[in-house]
Amino acid sequence: MKDLTEMLKGVLEGVVLQKIHAGETYGYEITKYLNELGFEDIVEGTVYTILVRIEKKGLVDIEKKKSELGPARKFYKLNVKGEEELKGFWKRWAFIEEKMNVIREQKDV
Amino acid sequence: MKDLTEMLKGVLEGVVLQKIHAGETYGYEITKYLNELGFEDIVEGTVYTILVRIEKKGLVDIEKKKSELGPARKFYKLNVKGEEELKGFWKRWAFIEEKMNVIREQKDV
DNA sequence: ACCACTATATAGTATTACAAAGTAGTTAAC
DNA sequence: GTTAACTACTTTGTAATACTATATAGTGGT
């Protein structure tokens, strides 16, 4: 799917938070997951900038673990603040989704 | 609803296109419509920048008409290119919406 | 005269996804 | 033993967008 970039703003961070919420994970894995899911154009750099951001916001706990296949992995886990942020994200999403349905059905007055 | 700004990126322009698609309208009216719909923080400046943008992209035809209540109104109407863009917008939205449902249901592997 | 409401315009800002390039570890092929 | 392929993280700079702030202007009521 093309021209998704702008629509992903404010959404992609929430997606990453949800993925981390679903189970301790790391950047490379998140990228692969998003690619398989259908977001084919999302590259590592994009994911890593988001990870740096959510770390700075203090939403995650981090643990470094050795990998058998390459450099060490940085595992991310949502902390309490991160879980709160994720809840807020889904609330905002639900709001937008609802309004979009109203707008789409809107007829000329 | 707070902190909606980022999530509106790439969405708000489509919403404006849809509103124009539903019937010839102008900036001030679009702003009021969005406010009544629940997007309370969207102000005129935001809408006007979008209108300038879609005009530059060549998505609309414009007609100036006198108002009984103030300065002249600039009425916007989608042209063929605008209708195409609107279709593409809803396709992108449907894509994101579908993926978001998958992500939300995702369980730990 | 002043205020409220209608109506448009625009320069500057913050945030974000993405591009691009680099660093580094492991394994296998040649 | 070096080259390639895959894994894995980092960082600098860019483009696009919603928003802030401010300005201009017409109409009507008091």
Side-chain angles (χ1 to χ4, degrees):
Chain A
M1 176 71 55
K2 282 179 182 177
D3 298 325
L4 234 53
T5 299
E6 291 306 323
M7 209 176 265
L8 283 175
K9 287 186 180 175
V11 175
L12 203 49
E13 182 179 309
V15 170
V16 170
L17 288 176
Q18 174 67 30
K19 172 68 178 154
I20 296 171
H21 166 81
E24 204 181 39
T25 184
Y26 56 97
Y28 192 79
E29 191 178 53
I30 295 170
T31 308
K32 294 298 163 202
Y33 166 75
L34 292 173
N35 293 155
E36 281 166 25
L37 212 141
F39 296 109
E40 295 165 5
D41 297 332
I42 293 176
V43 293
E44 289 140 18
T46 301
V47 173
Y48 286 112
T49 51
I50 292 169
L51 291 174
V52 169
R53 200 159 71 225
I54 65 179
E55 183 186 350
K56 279 184 184 164
K57 285 183 186 171
L59 307 178
V60 283
D61 292 333
I62 300 176
E63 204 182 338
K64 217 162 191 173
K65 293 180 189 177
K66 281 180 185 165
S67 166
E68 321 85 42
L69 294 161
R73 296 166 175 164
K74 274 180 77 176
F75 280 86
Y76 293 82
K77 199 176 170 182
L78 288 198
N79 59 27
V80 178
K81 201 174 168 188
E83 294 288 349
E84 286 298 319
E85 176 59 32
L86 183 60
K87 273 185 201 168
F89 167 76
W90 284 116
K91 273 186 191 167
R92 291 195 297 279
W93 175 258
F95 180 86
I96 299 261
E97 200 176 22
E98 186 210 318
K99 299 305 177 189
M100 290 301 279
N101 285 328
V102 175
I103 289 158
R104 185 160 35 189
E105 302 307 328
Q106 189 215 235
K107 292 284 183 302
D108 198 6
V109 186
Chain B
M1 179 69 56
K2 282 179 180 177
D3 298 325
L4 234 53
T5 298
E6 292 306 323
M7 210 177 265
L8 284 175
K9 287 185 179 176
V11 175
L12 202 49
E13 182 179 308
V15 170
V16 170
L17 289 177
Q18 174 68 29
K19 172 67 178 154
I20 295 172
H21 166 80
E24 204 181 40
T25 184
Y26 56 99
Y28 193 78
E29 191 177 52
I30 294 170
T31 309
K32 294 298 164 204
Y33 167 73
L34 292 173
N35 293 155
E36 281 166 25
L37 212 140
F39 295 108
E40 295 165 5
D41 298 331
I42 293 176
V43 294
E44 289 136 17
T46 300
V47 174
Y48 286 113
T49 52
I50 291 170
L51 291 174
V52 169
R53 199 158 72 224
I54 65 179
E55 183 186 351
K56 279 183 184 166
K57 286 184 188 171
L59 307 178
V60 284
D61 292 333
I62 301 176
E63 205 182 336
K64 216 161 191 175
K65 294 180 186 175
K66 280 180 187 167
S67 166
E68 320 85 43
L69 294 162
R73 295 165 177 166
K74 273 178 77 174
F75 280 86
Y76 293 81
K77 200 175 170 183
L78 287 199
N79 58 27
V80 177
K81 201 175 167 187
E83 294 289 350
E84 285 299 318
E85 176 59 33
L86 183 59
K87 273 185 201 168
F89 166 75
W90 284 116
K91 273 185 192 167
R92 291 195 298 277
W93 174 258
F95 180 85
I96 299 261
E97 201 177 22
E98 187 210 319
K99 298 305 177 189
M100 291 302 279
N101 284 328
V102 175
I103 289 157
R104 184 160 36 190
E105 302 306 330
Q106 189 215 235
K107 292 284 182 300
D108 198 3
V109 186

